[in-house]
Amino acid sequence: MSKVSDMVRQQFKEGDDIRDAGLVTPEDIERYDDIQYGENATWQVLDVYKPKDKKDEMLPVIVSVHGGGWVYGDKERYQYYCMSLAQHGFAVVNFTYRLAPEYKFPLSLEDTNMVFQWVLDHGKEYGLDTNNIFALGDSAGAHMLAIYTAICTNKTYAKQFPFTTPKNFVPTGIALNCGAYNIELKKGGEPDLTTMLMADFLPKKGTKKSFL
């Protein structure tokens, strides 16, 4: 574990513990928890949330990609936010993905891809309208979702990655909250927090090409 990732995990957890204290599942939400979407039962798990009064209906889907500086977070930290989205008439898929520095880029994107494939494969089972799959990324999750959508829409770019997206799949729409999209190495001086976290996220701490 690097010092910067350890610091971020501790500080973010402290804030999230305060934010989530006393929160419970809303009475109007039906939830399906800890569904395994990959081989790793610790990291590759997801929840599905639906309004109880629409639990037997086919609903448009929101897939949430959580934030946390690429090194922190899981579905538990985003469950209340995601359930508030479900209260507006959506089926919301909230998932945990493999984090850096233990797991390097692009493994978190590979997990994201597996989740979209899971949604397509299990639409009928969970009442997911696979013709209307939206996605929401927060912070580092917005960065990842932006890259993932580019992979879905750019065949040349997609060839740089070791996984294949579902055939002809592109999210119906995406929302990117507070993402980092133009990350640059600083000339001289100390690196900022984002570039230090990127060094934990990228194989071999990244290269100049990684930041172009």
Side-chain angles (χ1 to χ4, degrees):
M1 173 63 65
S2 75
K3 289 184 179 179
V4 65
S5 289
D6 187 54
M7 176 197 71
V8 165
R9 288 180 178 180
Q10 290 184 36
Q11 291 184 354
F12 283 18
K13 181 180 184 303
E14 289 174 3
D16 286 350
D17 285 346
I18 294 171
R19 180 197 65 198
D20 293 346
L23 296 180
V24 297
T25 299
E27 293 183 358
D28 58 348
I29 291 297
E30 185 81 11
R31 56 186 299 164
Y32 308 88
D33 293 340
D34 300 323
I35 302 164
Q36 196 168 328
Y37 66 84
E39 295 181 356
N40 192 316
T42 299
W43 295 92
Q44 294 173 325
V45 288
L46 61 81
D47 298 344
V48 177
Y49 314 129
K50 298 183 71 176
K52 282 185 177 179
D53 62 354
K54 298 180 183 294
K55 67 178 183 178
D56 297 322
E57 298 181 23
M58 301 294 287
L59 297 180
V61 185
I62 297 175
V63 175
S64 172
V65 187
H66 74 72
W70 305 281
V71 303
Y72 168 82
D74 53 36
K75 63 184 179 64
E76 278 66 39
R77 291 304 185 181
Y78 273 69
Q79 61 180 317
Y80 302 111
Y81 171 61
C82 288
M83 286 188 285
S84 72
L85 296 174
Q87 288 177 313
H88 292 277
F90 293 92
V92 180
V93 176
N94 172 31
F95 70 101
T96 295
Y97 54 82
R98 289 173 287 180
L99 297 174
E102 293 88 348
Y103 298 94
K104 300 290 187 179
F105 176 88
L107 293 180
S108 56
L109 282 174
E110 183 177 280
D111 290 351
T112 302
N113 184 57
M114 293 172 69
V115 169
F116 282 108
Q117 185 64 65
W118 183 92
V119 171
L120 292 168
D121 291 342
H122 295 83
K124 290 183 179 180
E125 183 179 356
Y126 289 94
L128 312 177
D129 179 359
T130 55
N131 291 316
N132 287 287
I133 301 175
F134 300 87
L136 172 65
D138 182 45
S139 192
H143 170 262
M144 289 166 48
L145 181 58
I147 293 174
Y148 182 74
T149 306
I151 294 170
C152 290
T153 55
N154 187 319
K155 292 182 180 180
T156 301
Y157 184 54
K159 291 179 181 178
Q160 299 183 43
F161 294 85
F163 58 85
T164 303
T165 59
K167 186 176 181 180
N168 298 323
F169 173 72
V170 178
T172 303
I174 62 172
L176 305 174
N177 293 334
C178 301
Y181 311 113
N182 185 24
I183 303 167
E184 298 179 349
L185 290 172
K186 303 291 184 180
K187 291 184 178 180
E190 292 295 322
D192 61 16
L193 179 61
T194 298
T195 52
M196 286 190 288
L197 288 171
M198 288 295 288
D200 278 356
F201 180 52
L202 296 171
K204 299 180 181 180
K205 299 185 180 297
T207 63
K208 287 186 178 180
K209 183 179 179 181
S210 303
F211 294 88
L212 295 177

